[in-house]
Amino acid sequence: MKTDLLIIGGDGDLALRKLYPSLYYLELNNCMPADTRIFGMARTGQTREEFHNKIYTWLKKSVGDALFSEEKWQSFASKIWFAQGDATKEDDLASAKSEYFDNDNHLVIYLAIPPMIFGKVCGSVDKCGLNKPTTRLVVEKPLGDSRESFLAINDELARTFSEEQIFRIDHYLGKESVQNLIALRFANDIFEPLWNSRYIDHIQITVTETVGVGNRWAFYDQTGATRDMVQNHLLQVLCLMAMEPPACLNAESVRAEKLKVLNALRLIPASEVQDLTVRGQYSSGYVDGVEVPGYTGETSDKYEVDPNSQTETYVAIKAEIQNWRWSGVPIYLRTGKRLNKRHSEIVIQFKQSNHQIFEKDHSEHRANQLIIQLQPDAGVSLRMMHKIPGLDAGIPVEDGVLNFSFDENGKVTHDAYSRLFFDVLRNDQTLFVSAAEVEAAWRWVDQIFAGWKETSMSVQEYPAGSRGPALAEELLERDGRKWLNEG
Ligand code: BG6
């Protein structure tokens, strides 16, 4: 079946920076059906040629010389049209419909616009007859800033579209390394018997960035690291790491298992937020040898920075999943901007048996660790003990690492969004987030915000380029642990 893709907000930042390059990768990988048509809709008039030129400039910059092919661009561009219009207006959509859309084609509508106009746009889509049973709607975060505001946004979508029609993007689920978590856990039978509180001491999930908030300050100051990263990306990674084996790899099974994890997350009461969470905000410092301003020292002529902002650019949380498999296993989450390196990984720290047969004088016997690197390098490492070769008395041991790297095992020529676009075109919701998941994630995050508010918990400063606030180290030290694999 032929598909028409309508991108509303079609010449905005998200579309130009992310969406067209990702669609180009589908073309590059011969995954874009030849009869797909892409329509970018925006209010500012421009010719098709002008629109192509704009996309071309962004695309070349974004995909880089190695993956850019003039021939592929030509075939990609032949699928792209510009449709002028204000999608909140029924008349504008109706004229785009009569001019461009073939009633027999499947229609995918991508809302690359702020959520506050989702309701109006969906209403117009419905009234002008663009919502057929096969129509799909794609949206992405920010989907609210609390459970309540999410439900309001979702109600607006649900007035027009059914849950089966709505594809909620979390771009982390489009990452190869994140999908590999599913493969690692369920295509390798050796892990399953060990994947529980009996053998696992604790888990760490880290997503650190070196970038600051830059020109997104105005948005970010209303959001902060917890809403921007934890509510969605980190909790989705946590779900894939912790969920029960789904009956099969379809959307219904996978999403149901992830939801169970979110519902089993222990809500952190106000009386415990000081002990279980850390909020940080970067001050000035050096990142990769370059001096950078602190969060409240960022400047722009587009917005006014609040010098007293208490928005967190770093957060660390000790979470717990209250179910049979995980009860008693702390799960430490941390994410932040302007840290010492860009680095995302999951560390599974296994327990160590109480009885040691190796002499301590010669060696330190360490418990095993499974390290799942998500980015920038994707791979899996297993830290394990082995004998130190030589004629030393006894059997001295030391720890070494078994490495598996994705990059050596197949070249990836697409990005996270390409994979997700591909699945939207195939009508597969497995890697998209259900409304119930988003709601459950907000419920957990809302509780943390309520605790911070009630206890007036302030942000701790950390210098840009550092490993984060000192209190984040203490969060683990109190439990006799430390952040692992710091590099
Ligand atoms: C986005 C956040 O969702 O994810 C950004 O809004 C963040 O603040 C980005 O920088 C990180 O994504 P990635 O793919 O670079 O890890």
Side-chain angles (χ1 to χ4, degrees), residues 2-47:
K2 290 185 191 168
T3 304
D4 292 336
L5 168 62
L6 169 64
I7 302 180
I8 297 177
D11 76 347
D13 194 52
L14 173 68
L16 292 167
R17 224 169 19 87
K18 285 277 180 200
L19 308 185
Y20 299 113
S22 306
L23 287 162
Y24 164 83
Y25 288 132
L26 289 188
E27 184 75 39
L28 184 70
N29 286 283
N30 301 318
C31 289
M32 174 93 77
D35 43 22
T36 308
R37 298 186 305 164
I38 300 164
F39 299 91
M41 178 175 256
R43 284 176 299 186
T44 322
Q46 53 202 296
T47 64

Side-chain angles (χ1 to χ4, degrees), residues 97 109 119 122 133 192 221 329 334 415 427 439 449:
K97 182 186 174 205
I109 303 173
C122 290
E192 175 51 23
D221 201 51
V329 179
R334 65 174 163 165
D415 65 8
N427 200 15
E439 184 185 349
F449 275 97

Side-chain angles (χ1 to χ4, degrees), residues 381-397:
S381 311
L382 179 65
R383 293 194 85 104
M384 51 191 287
M385 303 301 291
H386 64 86
K387 180 181 179 298
I388 302 170
L391 282 176
D392 292 324
I395 312 258
V397 291

